[in-house]
């Protein structure tokens, strides 16, 4: 099943935990999200991020989504790996194995998130999902 829609941040709290030469740094961000579209629900996301001296950030994260996928209720976890380059965020995501609960038990798949808007604009998501 192709899942598409938008994801909007409802909160973002980012704290540096290491600073390096030439302005690069590592941070941790705690993010609240809301998904609309094929996926409907609220999500909690934890990012670890590395900023270079320019306007580039690389990040990894885990996000637990609680809600529904095409009307099936439950929760699952997405793994994020991505980068913010020149104002555009591109993220590859995959459903972590055995993370689905309720009617989402057995969910698996992967996809992407893209954000190229202004602050506060939602990202677009596309995931290819299956159920065992």
């Amino acid at each position: 099943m192709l899942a598409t829609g938008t994801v909007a941040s409802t909160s973002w709290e980012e704290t540096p935990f290491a600073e390096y030469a030439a302005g690069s740094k590592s941070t941790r961000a705690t993010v609240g999200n809301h998904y609309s579209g094929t996926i409907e629900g609220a999500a909690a996301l934890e990012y670890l991020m590395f900023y270079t001296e320019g306007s580039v950030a690389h990040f990894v994260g885990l996000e637990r989504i609680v809600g529904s996928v095409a009307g099936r209720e439950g929760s699952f976890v997405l793994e994020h790996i991505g980068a913010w380059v020149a104002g555009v965020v591109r993220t590859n995501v995959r459903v972590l194995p055995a993370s689905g609960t309720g009617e989402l038990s057995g969910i698996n798949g992967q996809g992407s998130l893209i954000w190229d808007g202004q602050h506060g604009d939602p990202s677009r998501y596309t995931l290819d999902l299956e159920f065992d």
Side-chain angles (χ1 to χ4, degrees):
M1 148 192 355
L2 186 63
T4 60
T6 60
V7 55
S9 292
T10 57
S11 63
W12 184 288
E13 185 176 323
E14 188 173 350
T15 307
F17 64 84
E19 296 189 18
Y20 313 105
S24 60
K25 64 182 177 179
S26 291
T27 67
R28 177 181 178 167
T30 299
V31 182
N33 283 330
H34 185 269
Y35 281 76
S36 299
T38 309
I39 301 170
E40 292 281 344
L45 170 61
E46 292 291 328
Y47 275 137
L48 292 178
M49 307 173 77
F50 174 75
Y51 290 87
T52 65
E53 60 185 284
S55 295
V56 175
H58 299 276
F59 54 85
V60 295
L62 294 177
E63 179 176 37
R64 181 171 184 254
I65 301 169
V66 178
S68 65
V69 175
R72 296 171 72 156
E73 301 279 330
S75 68
F76 63 98
V77 176
L78 287 177
E79 173 187 68
H80 291 235
I81 299 174
W84 175 64
V85 179
V88 177
V89 177
R90 295 184 190 282
T91 309
N92 292 317
V93 296
R94 75 176 181 114
V95 177
L96 289 182
S99 68
T101 67
E103 295 176 319
L104 300 179
S105 181
I107 191 171
N108 62 73
Q110 59 188 358
S112 64
L113 302 170
I114 297 174
W115 180 83
D116 57 4
Q118 299 297 313
H119 181 72
D121 287 348
S123 300
R124 298 177 310 281
Y125 69 81
T126 303
L127 286 92
D128 186 15
L129 300 174
E130 298 177 348
F131 292 90
D132 292 336

